[in-house]
Amino acid sequence: MFSENAKKQIEACRFCWMCRHVCPVGLATGKEADTPRGRAVLLNYMLKGFPIEREVMPDMFACALCGNCSSWCETGFEPTVFIREARREAVIDETVPENVKPIVERVLEKGSIYSEEKQLFPGFKPHADVLLVTGEVARIKHPEIAKALISIMQKAGVDFTVLENEPPTGSTMYDLVGPLDEVKSVAQHFSETVKTTGASTLVVTDPADASFLKQDCATWGIVPAERIVSATSFVNGLLKEGYLKAVQSLSKIVTFHDPCRLARNLDETEDARDILKAIGSDLHEMYLNRENTRCCGGELLNSYLKQTAGLISRTRLDDAKRTGAEICVTACPGCADMLSNEGGEFIKDIFVLVDECC
Amino acid sequence: MNQDVSFFKVMIESELEDAVGRENVSNTTADRLIYGYDCYWLSNHWAASGNLPPMADWVVSPGSTEEVSKVLKIANYYKIPVTPVGGTGGTQGGALPVAGGISLNMKRMNHIVNFDEESMCVTVETGMIYQQLEWYANERGFSLMHYPSSITTSSVGGFLAHSGIGVLSSKYGRIMDQCLNVEMVIPSGEVLNTAPVPKHSSGPDLKGLFIGSEGTLGVMTKATFQLFKIPESRQFRGFLFKDLTSGLRAGRDMMNEFKPSIIRFYDEAETVSIIKKIIGVAKPGCFMNIAVDGSKKMADLEMERACEIAASYGAEDMGEEYGKKWWDSRLTFFYPGKFFHYPTMYGTMDTIAVYSKIEPIYWAMKDAIESKYDGVRFIAHFSHWYEWGCMMYDRFVMDEPPSDPIETLKLHNDIWNTGVRTALAHGGVINDHHGVGLKLGKLMKEQYGPSMQIFEGLKKTLDPNGIMNPAKMGL
């Protein structure tokens, strides 16, 4: 059953075309069904009783949930609301598309979309004021990002700890299957695990985790800590307050890819830029930056729609290369993973650079 | 045994897949449903009433001119209707697949072909969403200066197909003026090209036959547009005229001396709410919002003259604030919550005429609509100007149409017939820049009379089997 809020979004979006130009999937595939309006139209007909649920679900899962549509809407409507709820319906009604099924089964069983083993971080103290939440993507795909942040915290003298085996927050699961009760259970388990550390502040590496914990979990009454901050804002704070100092300059022309959840959901665009300035970068902006940032392809989308995600990544990579930058910096393990698939060494994570320079 | 599957249909589908790739041909209900409605009010009304929209048999998405050619050859051989479609932002039902067949989705053809900075022009595939093209140009310091409200919605081909216009047209021209050349594929599969540049003496202008043909002659696949340097200065000013006549004359005089980039002149009904936003109280009159573009020097001079001209017609200077705010939020009106919300019925019956006729057309249409139809109001502004005349962007609005959907459809069409016929009777045209489509096709002969045979002859020659966008434009 769709919520009244989702129905309201569907009714608004079905007759509106104003955000189609920012939908990365629609632009990549050229399919009308891969646009916010297209999806709203299909759900509208589904709600009116047309027996098309199985046909429409591939289009519901072919969305990167980058939020550009919701951010662009000048009257506050959010297609991402009905897309997530449609995914939930697919799980309940067993109409999940074949290519997505293995990922859904894995996430319902393990709480994670990944089958690989994640990096463990043993040896940290059980309690501290600050808990560094590394996130799944960093642990599994880019442990160097987690290690860089650990090093930064140590250099800055922060009283922090890291969970040896950090459970998933539930953010990727929420994106994949929508507001299922199982998502809340995963988030609750994460919250309870975090609370065993006694941390009053969570420093969250992955912006998707940060926005999920700060915003979605809060609406469900799940509050793992008093203060939840993105790693970019925390590290910028360390630099501004003098706990961290750059001892060598990066001295490179860089461009910055704003992660969508950081720029649009958390409204944080300047911390990363301040950090890049502090470590001696010459920043050349991409034309579409900050809240207008383009999707990197999406780690989740890539797990079951590689070709589409790849097309989206390549578009963003082209944006970055046109700036003439020597490297493209990003502040999200997911973006780093997606963009480096094609971009290789052209892509650098901001925390790895900060650790090198400080 | 599957009794729903037609052998011949599957054979044709297999040929289409061979032409464009299997993944680019769809026969699913979901994909076909989506192309069943666009921004045409009646199509929204039909869908909102829970009715099945007109649906094609296939959605076919070609990725190149060659693939378009292959698809049209197949369709022409089997006499299958083809309806080209871009962003589905049309308001005239022009891209609705009323005869079934193929919805030819052009949006995979979304690449820049050539960016010629030296010549200040860009060649692009017609499936690109126009805002993407504009951003591409902006990144390089240029603009196409084509800003219709559907810029984020519609494709290059869509704007060409119905010969569209943007808010800056008074200075920078319509899309017809901004387009240098067009490539079009016709049902035989042949690829036609207009002359490489528009201003020549090499026979009649083919570009003028293709642009505005709304997919009834073939499929436009590429086009070249001029680029403009982004101006150093854009200045806004508002004026309150005592009546329509003085404002129309002032606008005419401005256009004949220099060309403001924007002139938007509102009738009394529309002025009421605007003036209240500016000065906090209602004040009678007709409001005009103008902008001038150029180097700072030129813009200063033009604005000085604009103020002098407006003053000579007794207008009150209302300052620059409204114009700036309007520019920044000009698209907000079109978002849900701001725009007319279904079931409110509305239609934009835009027309254009010479200056001596445009005001009489306004009064005649206003009277014809408001006197004949209870609960329907008529509002208008004048927003695209030339040395010889201007267009009127008029709307009828009915907040509470009949509850019966078929009664509503018939009333909608009756209002349109009344409004447009009134415009025609007083020297206007059936439409200024939204196109003809399904909505106004029946009125084409009333406008053109025996000249209609030119379009009919062209249609017969280029599309002898009548497969291209049937039932549109009266062809």
Side-chain angles (χ1 to χ4, degrees), chain B residues 88-103:
Chain B
T88 69
T91 58
Q92 316 295 71
L96 297 179
V98 296
I102 295 170
S103 274

PDB file of all heavy atoms in Angstrom, chain B residues 88-103:
ATOM      1  N   THR B  88       7.844  14.868 -24.838  1.00  0.00           N
ATOM      2  CA  THR B  88       6.400  14.826 -24.523  1.00  0.00           C
ATOM      3  C   THR B  88       5.904  16.096 -23.851  1.00  0.00           C
ATOM      4  O   THR B  88       4.977  16.086 -23.052  1.00  0.00           O
ATOM      5  CB  THR B  88       6.010  13.594 -23.648  1.00  0.00           C
ATOM      6  OG1 THR B  88       6.544  13.725 -22.330  1.00  0.00           O
ATOM      7  CG2 THR B  88       6.481  12.316 -24.263  1.00  0.00           C
ATOM      8  N   GLY B  89       6.538  17.234 -24.210  1.00  0.00           N
ATOM      9  CA  GLY B  89       6.119  18.503 -23.616  1.00  0.00           C
ATOM     10  C   GLY B  89       5.145  19.282 -24.465  1.00  0.00           C
ATOM     11  O   GLY B  89       4.834  20.434 -24.147  1.00  0.00           O
ATOM     12  N   GLY B  90       4.671  18.705 -25.550  1.00  0.00           N
ATOM     13  CA  GLY B  90       3.764  19.418 -26.452  1.00  0.00           C
ATOM     14  C   GLY B  90       2.382  19.621 -25.858  1.00  0.00           C
ATOM     15  O   GLY B  90       1.891  18.782 -25.116  1.00  0.00           O
ATOM     16  N   THR B  91       1.765  20.734 -26.195  1.00  0.00           N
ATOM     17  CA  THR B  91       0.448  21.058 -25.641  1.00  0.00           C
ATOM     18  C   THR B  91      -0.685  20.837 -26.622  1.00  0.00           C
ATOM     19  O   THR B  91      -1.840  21.085 -26.293  1.00  0.00           O
ATOM     20  CB  THR B  91       0.396  22.535 -25.204  1.00  0.00           C
ATOM     21  OG1 THR B  91       0.701  23.346 -26.355  1.00  0.00           O
ATOM     22  CG2 THR B  91       1.368  22.827 -24.092  1.00  0.00           C
ATOM     23  N   GLN B  92      -0.365  20.408 -27.828  1.00  0.00           N
ATOM     24  CA  GLN B  92      -1.384  20.298 -28.863  1.00  0.00           C
ATOM     25  C   GLN B  92      -1.718  18.859 -29.232  1.00  0.00           C
ATOM     26  O   GLN B  92      -2.444  18.618 -30.190  1.00  0.00           O
ATOM     27  CB  GLN B  92      -0.933  21.048 -30.133  1.00  0.00           C
ATOM     28  CG  GLN B  92      -0.310  22.411 -29.896  1.00  0.00           C
ATOM     29  CD  GLN B  92      -1.286  23.425 -29.308  1.00  0.00           C
ATOM     30  OE1 GLN B  92      -1.669  23.322 -28.131  1.00  0.00           O
ATOM     31  NE2 GLN B  92      -1.682  24.410 -30.065  1.00  0.00           N
ATOM     32  N   GLY B  93      -1.200  17.911 -28.485  1.00  0.00           N
ATOM     33  CA  GLY B  93      -1.461  16.514 -28.790  1.00  0.00           C
ATOM     34  C   GLY B  93      -0.714  16.034 -30.015  1.00  0.00           C
ATOM     35  O   GLY B  93      -1.029  14.981 -30.582  1.00  0.00           O
ATOM     36  N   GLY B  94       0.292  16.796 -30.432  1.00  0.00           N
ATOM     37  CA  GLY B  94       0.986  16.482 -31.670  1.00  0.00           C
ATOM     38  C   GLY B  94       1.774  15.181 -31.650  1.00  0.00           C
ATOM     39  O   GLY B  94       2.050  14.617 -32.697  1.00  0.00           O
ATOM     40  N   ALA B  95       2.162  14.717 -30.472  1.00  0.00           N
ATOM     41  CA  ALA B  95       2.965  13.500 -30.396  1.00  0.00           C
ATOM     42  C   ALA B  95       2.171  12.320 -29.846  1.00  0.00           C
ATOM     43  O   ALA B  95       2.750  11.302 -29.470  1.00  0.00           O
ATOM     44  CB  ALA B  95       4.195  13.743 -29.522  1.00  0.00           C
ATOM     45  N   LEU B  96       0.848  12.444 -29.818  1.00  0.00           N
ATOM     46  CA  LEU B  96       0.047  11.314 -29.338  1.00  0.00           C
ATOM     47  C   LEU B  96      -0.128  10.318 -30.482  1.00  0.00           C
ATOM     48  O   LEU B  96      -0.524  10.704 -31.582  1.00  0.00           O
ATOM     49  CB  LEU B  96      -1.337  11.798 -28.867  1.00  0.00           C
ATOM     50  CG  LEU B  96      -1.340  12.770 -27.685  1.00  0.00           C
ATOM     51  CD1 LEU B  96      -2.768  13.175 -27.348  1.00  0.00           C
ATOM     52  CD2 LEU B  96      -0.672  12.151 -26.470  1.00  0.00           C
ATOM     53  N   PRO B  97       0.114   9.053 -30.218  1.00  0.00           N
ATOM     54  CA  PRO B  97       0.035   8.041 -31.289  1.00  0.00           C
ATOM     55  C   PRO B  97      -1.401   7.606 -31.556  1.00  0.00           C
ATOM     56  O   PRO B  97      -1.765   6.454 -31.328  1.00  0.00           O
ATOM     57  CB  PRO B  97       0.884   6.904 -30.722  1.00  0.00           C
ATOM     58  CG  PRO B  97       0.710   7.008 -29.242  1.00  0.00           C
ATOM     59  CD  PRO B  97       0.556   8.463 -28.927  1.00  0.00           C
ATOM     60  N   VAL B  98      -2.235   8.529 -32.023  1.00  0.00           N
ATOM     61  CA  VAL B  98      -3.675   8.272 -32.140  1.00  0.00           C
ATOM     62  C   VAL B  98      -4.009   7.161 -33.128  1.00  0.00           C
ATOM     63  O   VAL B  98      -5.080   6.570 -33.073  1.00  0.00           O
ATOM     64  CB  VAL B  98      -4.457   9.559 -32.493  1.00  0.00           C
ATOM     65  CG1 VAL B  98      -4.346  10.573 -31.364  1.00  0.00           C
ATOM     66  CG2 VAL B  98      -3.975  10.161 -33.795  1.00  0.00           C
ATOM     67  N   ALA B  99      -3.075   6.911 -34.069  1.00  0.00           N
ATOM     68  CA  ALA B  99      -3.337   5.855 -35.041  1.00  0.00           C
ATOM     69  C   ALA B  99      -2.559   4.577 -34.704  1.00  0.00           C
ATOM     70  O   ALA B  99      -2.478   3.656 -35.532  1.00  0.00           O
ATOM     71  CB  ALA B  99      -2.964   6.343 -36.438  1.00  0.00           C
ATOM     72  N   GLY B 100      -1.997   4.510 -33.524  1.00  0.00           N
ATOM     73  CA  GLY B 100      -1.230   3.317 -33.156  1.00  0.00           C
ATOM     74  C   GLY B 100       0.094   3.267 -33.897  1.00  0.00           C
ATOM     75  O   GLY B 100       0.651   4.301 -34.251  1.00  0.00           O
ATOM     76  N   GLY B 101       0.579   2.097 -34.152  1.00  0.00           N
ATOM     77  CA  GLY B 101       1.816   1.945 -34.907  1.00  0.00           C
ATOM     78  C   GLY B 101       3.025   2.132 -34.012  1.00  0.00           C
ATOM     79  O   GLY B 101       3.146   1.502 -32.977  1.00  0.00           O
ATOM     80  N   ILE B 102       3.911   3.049 -34.430  1.00  0.00           N
ATOM     81  CA  ILE B 102       5.188   3.238 -33.727  1.00  0.00           C
ATOM     82  C   ILE B 102       5.250   4.616 -33.084  1.00  0.00           C
ATOM     83  O   ILE B 102       5.043   5.630 -33.757  1.00  0.00           O
ATOM     84  CB  ILE B 102       6.357   3.112 -34.724  1.00  0.00           C
ATOM     85  CG1 ILE B 102       6.428   1.692 -35.286  1.00  0.00           C
ATOM     86  CG2 ILE B 102       7.687   3.498 -34.081  1.00  0.00           C
ATOM     87  CD1 ILE B 102       7.391   1.553 -36.458  1.00  0.00           C
ATOM     88  N   SER B 103       5.557   4.652 -31.776  1.00  0.00           N
ATOM     89  CA  SER B 103       5.994   5.894 -31.130  1.00  0.00           C
ATOM     90  C   SER B 103       7.504   5.891 -31.304  1.00  0.00           C
ATOM     91  O   SER B 103       8.193   5.039 -30.757  1.00  0.00           O
ATOM     92  CB  SER B 103       5.648   5.899 -29.638  1.00  0.00           C
ATOM     93  OG  SER B 103       4.352   6.354 -29.404  1.00  0.00           O
TER      94      SER B 103
END
